[in-house]
Amino acid sequence: MKKLLRSSVCALAVLAVGPSLTIADETCNSPFTSALIKGQEDFLHVWTLGEVGVGDESDKLVTIDVQPNSPTFGKVINSVSVGGRGEAHHTGFTDDRRFLWAGRLDDNKIFIFDLIDPSKPKVVKTITDFADKTGFVGPHTFYATAGRMMIQALSNGKTHDGQTGIVVYNNAGDLISTHPMPLDNGGDGYGYDIGINPAQNVMLTSSFTGWTNYMMDIGQMVKDPEAMKRFGSTMVMWDFKSMKPITTMQVPGAPLEIRWSLRPEDNWAITATALTSKLWLVKQNEKGEWQAKDVGNIGDPSKVPLPVDISITADGKGLWVNTFLDGTTRYYDLTNVEAPKEVYSKKMGSQVNMVSQSFDGKRVYFTTSLLANWDKKGNDNEQWLKAYDWDGKELVEKFTVDFKAEKLGRAHHMKFSAKPTKAAALGE
Amino acid sequence: MGMGKPLAWRSRYLPNGYALLVLLAFFLSIANNQRCLANPAYPEAGTYKLQKIQPAPSGWVLQDSVWIPRRLSSYTKDKVTLFSFFYGTCRDPQGCPKAWDAFLAVHKAVKMNPKWHNKVRLVFVSLDPNADTPEMMSIFQSSMSTPEAPWAFLTTWSESFLTPILNDMYVPAWREFDDKGKQTDVINHLLKVFLIDKEAWVREIYTTNFLDPNVVIADIGTLLLEEE
């Protein structure tokens, strides 16, 4: 990859990319990713699942122009098919924001894209031995730390249940270490997301389900009582430096995305549980012990709206929560994080999964796909990206990209990037 | 200090005043280091393991005014090494000055601990070989390095020798343009500090927002305890 890195640098000797090139969902990045751009993003990259009968049927990274002043605003400007369908899911930038790692939950392939020209991402390396080398499968969360990429897996290659672990690679894509999720002291072995609070030297993880469930048809799964028992119900607080669990907290119903408040004076994280439809707050008590607390419902839990992605505002005062089954996004006022209050909701379509907002919170983007076998069927299987402006009261639609009409596939994880600043790489 | 000036001009006239200014800046920063307090959230030295992240960089560098090329690897093995990049005119408070602060704190800690004497070295490699000549590096080194805590200031023949080292360490560095499209002497770079064991493996990396000298000192202690 270093050779490729060098050749890419040579190709763009003058209009090279400064350190502040690539930007993700700005409020939900790893704190180790370098400088945030707090203005207008230029491109949106959508990690897209190939779909039978749609275009080339391959998983792909789709790039959309989101710069309002651009003549191609709201249009697909690039698409990189990676071959096959392996359950494309999440992506994450390296700490220098130069490379985007994109994983597949079924065949465990990890594609590393070079974004030196963010309008034309290029695959520079593919990791194909993730399962063989680690024993884990389902590389889900890609979370940058200094010079490394931490990956939370969802399952394992032997039993395909939820017992799994965390894998650490260096930025060159070489395996460094593996860390099983705890099975003692209340641990259930499941994994899902990672959130690090470096000031406190803590890492929080959540828990979902194993390969057997996430690759099963959702209709079949919900009718299988045994399958429905195989979901995680814990969050683990780790000593990040030593990678040792500190405490395991019981959080029933599959706690998913983890969002630490970005305000320096705050010291809490929030998550949503998929099956029980609740918001949980994780913070320290008076003794300094980490605890998880149910702080409210999301919609009507009896209707199982299935909360999925969440996105916290930069000031820690607001939270977008998508509920997949009713296709609705909800905005919560977190002014009192002990009692979040839903202040806005909007029906986005038949289904909605991911949400990404700009750092200033003025632009919010939504996509549809959850998992290939969990997405709705027939006409309810809408697949789109929708871009909105948010003024604090109302979402105003700016454009929609219909991923079926564009013959792209199922729209999943989103990351932002910006045009290169005018600079010259050293040595050129 | 424009890019177009001949190297000989720079070598002859700039080092003394330039180096003195830089040294003044980081001596002023020493006061800040006195206020560093241990972060109780981090574990004690020796109670955790630092993984082998990647090999230390290779390449050719210059250390002193004789302009003799030396292998960079000779500065990254046989001792625990704290390694980073800097350049003399860097003024970004989140960049080189922050690295200086951390290195000064670590240097002081090593000097104060007789058990660590001559087991730890510090290494700065210049991002600006045009301006940071070997003569300049000699001034820095003679001012900062001590026998019990050696501190090497290295530069390279040119940016073409520097770039492979930066690529090895995944440190992006770019020279800014001004409004007229001319290159300036501002080099944007992602601050990374590398802790390297005596077998020349990078064992920890610290970035801008997480460069806590106390954590670095604990990590050095962990590596030295590991050797025992």
Side-chain angles (χ1 to χ4, degrees), chain A residues 201-202 236-240 244-248 290:
Chain A
N201 183 39
V202 289
V236 181
M237 192 65 80
W238 305 63
D239 179 314
F240 171 55
K244 293 175 183 171
I246 298 170
T247 187
T248 298
W290 290 99

Side-chain angles (χ1 to χ4, degrees), chain A residues 146 148 150 166-170 175-179 240-243, chain B residues 48-55 195-197 201-205 219 222-223 226:
Chain A
R148 283 153 283 185
M150 188 173 281
I166 295 168
V167 180
V168 184
Y169 284 84
N170 65 22
L175 179 64
I176 296 174
S177 59
T178 59
H179 308 270
F240 171 55
K241 188 75 181 182
S242 66
M243 291 295 287
Chain B
Y48 55 94
K49 178 177 174 62
L50 295 170
Q51 302 288 345
K52 292 182 177 180
I53 299 170
Q54 65 178 86
L195 182 61
I196 301 169
D197 68 18
W201 276 94
V202 174
R203 301 291 293 274
E204 188 54 287
I205 304 172
D219 289 347
T222 295
L223 292 186
E226 188 181 89

Side-chain angles (χ1 to χ4, degrees), chain B residues 98-189:
Chain B
K98 197 159 187 170
W100 275 112
D101 284 351
F103 272 60
L104 283 166
V106 171
H107 195 249
K108 180 180 176 185
V110 175
K111 285 194 294 184
M112 290 175 62
N113 187 345
K115 289 184 178 177
W116 287 12
H117 287 180
N118 215 28
K119 292 182 178 177
V120 181
R121 78 157 73 78
L122 292 80
V123 175
F124 263 175
V125 174
S126 172
L127 289 167
D128 193 355
N130 291 328
D132 292 339
T133 60
E135 290 84 356
M136 192 91 68
M137 298 297 98
S138 293
I139 295 172
F140 287 139
Q141 183 155 323
S142 61
S143 302
M144 303 308 302
S145 188
T146 59
E148 70 278 15
W151 188 343
F153 288 79
L154 310 176
T155 190
T156 46
W157 272 97
S158 66
E159 289 180 1
S160 59
F161 284 85
L162 172 64
T163 304
I165 301 172
L166 292 170
N167 286 342
D168 276 351
M169 307 308 277
Y170 286 83
V171 174
W174 316 89
R175 196 177 287 276
E176 275 192 4
F177 284 80
D178 63 19
D179 293 340
K180 296 176 182 175
K182 290 185 177 178
Q183 290 188 18
T184 70
D185 61 1
V186 175
I187 300 172
N188 281 323
H189 65 286

Side-chain angles (χ1 to χ4, degrees), chain A residues 158-355:
Chain A
K158 278 188 179 175
T159 63
H160 281 173
D161 63 11
Q163 194 172 324
T164 190
I166 295 168
V167 180
V168 184
Y169 284 84
N170 65 22
N171 278 0
D174 302 320
L175 179 64
I176 296 174
S177 59
T178 59
H179 308 270
M181 307 305 286
L183 288 165
D184 54 359
N185 300 316
D188 57 15
Y190 288 87
Y192 181 79
D193 200 15
I194 296 170
I196 295 174
N197 179 347
Q200 298 295 321
N201 183 39
V202 289
M203 177 177 76
L204 183 60
T205 55
S206 54
S207 54
F208 181 42
T209 194
W211 182 93
T212 303
N213 271 4
Y214 69 68
M215 291 304 295
M216 191 185 303
D217 179 87
I218 193 169
Q220 178 187 342
M221 184 183 71
V222 295
K223 292 174 186 170
D224 181 346
E226 289 305 309
M228 292 305 291
K229 290 177 184 173
R230 293 193 290 265
F231 280 85
S233 59
T234 61
M235 298 185 78
V236 181
M237 192 65 80
W238 305 63
D239 179 314
F240 171 55
K241 188 75 181 182
S242 66
M243 291 295 287
K244 293 175 183 171
I246 298 170
T247 187
T248 298
M249 296 163 278
Q250 298 305 309
V251 183
L256 300 182
E257 319 295 335
I258 296 166
R259 306 296 180 225
W260 284 97
S261 172
L262 300 183
R263 290 203 314 164
E265 59 268 41
D266 284 347
N267 186 25
W268 53 261
I270 196 163
T271 191
T273 51
L275 302 183
T276 47
S277 200
K278 287 180 177 295
L279 289 170
W280 283 75
L281 176 68
V282 176
K283 62 184 292 190
Q284 287 173 298
N285 65 14
E286 301 77 20
K287 297 176 183 175
E289 299 162 335
W290 290 99
Q291 293 186 327
K293 179 183 178 185
D294 170 3
V295 290
N297 292 338
I298 300 166
D300 180 354
S302 69
K303 296 179 179 174
V304 196
L306 196 61
V308 278
D309 197 16
I310 62 177
S311 178
I312 196 167
T313 57
D315 63 3
K317 297 287 180 62
L319 185 76
W320 290 101
V321 179
N322 285 351
T323 43
F324 180 78
L325 290 177
D326 60 8
T328 300
T329 191
R330 303 157 192 273
Y331 186 79
Y332 285 81
D333 179 351
L334 296 186
T335 304
N336 177 7
V337 74
E338 302 274 353
K341 184 179 176 185
E342 183 185 311
V343 293
Y344 177 83
S345 69
K346 183 179 180 68
K347 174 81 171 176
M348 307 298 292
S350 61
Q351 57 188 5
V352 65
N353 182 28
M354 303 303 291
V355 52

